[in-house]
Amino acid sequence: DQAQPEPLPATGSVVGVDMGIANFLADSNGEFVPNPRHGAKASAKLEAAQQALSRCKRGSKRRRKAVDTVARLHRKVRRQRLDHAHKTALDLVREHDFVAHEDLKIRNMNRAPAPKPDPNQPGSFLPNGASAKAGLNRSIADAGWGVFLAILAAKAEGAGRQVMAVDPRNTSRTCPECRHVSAENRPTQEKFHCVSCDHTAHADTVGAINVLRAGLVRRDATPA
Ligand SMILES: [Zn+2]
């Protein structure tokens, strides 16, 4: 419910963003918006409070107190996430005329549940608990990005900016220099290294550059 920006003067700047877990987002200029640390701290406190609540006897005074604590921490986490989303969206809308981002719906449809390799035993995979936890983290992050994109769309509309969702397929495995597409271009989560032209960069920056390109193609193909 924060104030929406008034229409802003054109900046001549366009940007693509890649939403991630390690960083909340990376942009096509090589900048990163980290996930808020205070958010993780508050989440850990909330988890501890929920465990404490589960140990309290029904109808007890302690239980009522524990319920209040959980509710208070819940509000705090929610407020911090919202503040962070508002601030991140406002910065983007102030600085750029056009923002391209991945279409979360398409991204979720294409996401295969990836088994987690066990780092201590090459060739084997961690027990289900680990991947369930990763899946949970993933779905919490998805919810955060959904809220962020809704806030971004509202602010962009108020400011007269354009926001465009693009198909995220291959955005993380296409070389921004030579356009070579290969899963091998991404040896690790963070690293992009083109097997064809040797171009090296942060993988999330590469993703954001490709998202911007796809967004501009879509924008130019869409009649105004
Ligand atoms: Zn290349």
Side-chain angles (χ1 to χ4, degrees):
D1 299 318
Q2 300 190 9
Q4 300 304 332
E6 299 287 302
L8 294 168
T11 62
S13 173
V14 295
V15 75
V17 297
D18 177 279
M19 293 171 286
I21 299 275
N23 283 298
F24 183 74
L25 63 84
D27 77 18
S28 49
N29 300 316
E31 304 280 334
F32 297 90
V33 176
N35 266 308
R37 292 189 73 82
H38 57 74
K41 230 166 118 194
S43 297
K45 268 191 192 171
L46 176 58
E47 200 175 318
Q50 269 160 345
Q51 270 166 15
L53 170 61
S54 71
R55 289 191 297 264
C56 292
K57 272 207 193 98
R58 281 182 171 282
S60 68
K61 209 173 172 180
R62 268 186 65 197
R63 187 182 160 85
R64 277 201 302 278
K65 254 184 105 170
V67 167
D68 284 346
T69 304
V70 166
R72 182 172 51 76
L73 288 170
H74 221 277
R75 283 194 299 272
K76 187 173 175 181
V77 169
R78 205 181 114 80
R79 197 174 54 238
Q80 284 176 339
R81 286 220 182 103
L82 273 178
D83 285 349
H84 182 257
H86 274 282
K87 192 188 167 302
T88 306
L90 191 59
D91 285 347
L92 284 172
V93 160
R94 277 194 182 133
E95 288 168 26
H96 309 285
D97 299 338
F98 175 84
V99 183
H101 63 80
E102 305 144 277
D103 189 317
L104 284 186
K105 265 179 279 170
I106 300 178
R107 186 159 93 164
N108 290 343
M109 274 186 320
N110 293 327
R111 187 184 297 146
K116 260 190 137 25
D118 187 343
N120 299 317
Q121 280 175 291
S124 71
F125 294 92
L126 292 170
N128 276 340
S131 67
K133 175 102 174 150
L136 181 65
N137 288 342
R138 192 89 218 183
S139 64
I140 291 169
D142 280 349
W145 295 323
V147 168
F148 164 71
L149 290 177
I151 290 169
L152 177 65
K155 285 197 198 301
E157 197 177 342
R161 306 303 207 201
Q162 196 177 9
V163 173
M164 196 158 267
V166 303
D167 188 336
R169 263 169 290 189
N170 290 334
T171 51
S172 65
R173 50 177 76 169
T174 302
C175 177
E177 293 292 319
C178 75
R179 315 305 293 157
H180 180 68
V181 183
S182 169
E184 291 167 32
N185 284 348
R186 196 168 177 178
T188 67
Q189 184 67 27
E190 282 202 356
K191 198 173 165 191
F192 185 93
H193 182 195
C194 178
V195 294
S196 178
C197 79
D198 247 8
H199 175 65
T200 305
H202 194 293
D204 295 344
T205 305
V206 167
I209 290 169
N210 287 323
V211 163
L212 173 58
R213 284 201 183 159
L216 291 174
V217 167
R218 223 193 121 187
R219 181 187 72 174
D220 297 341
T222 310

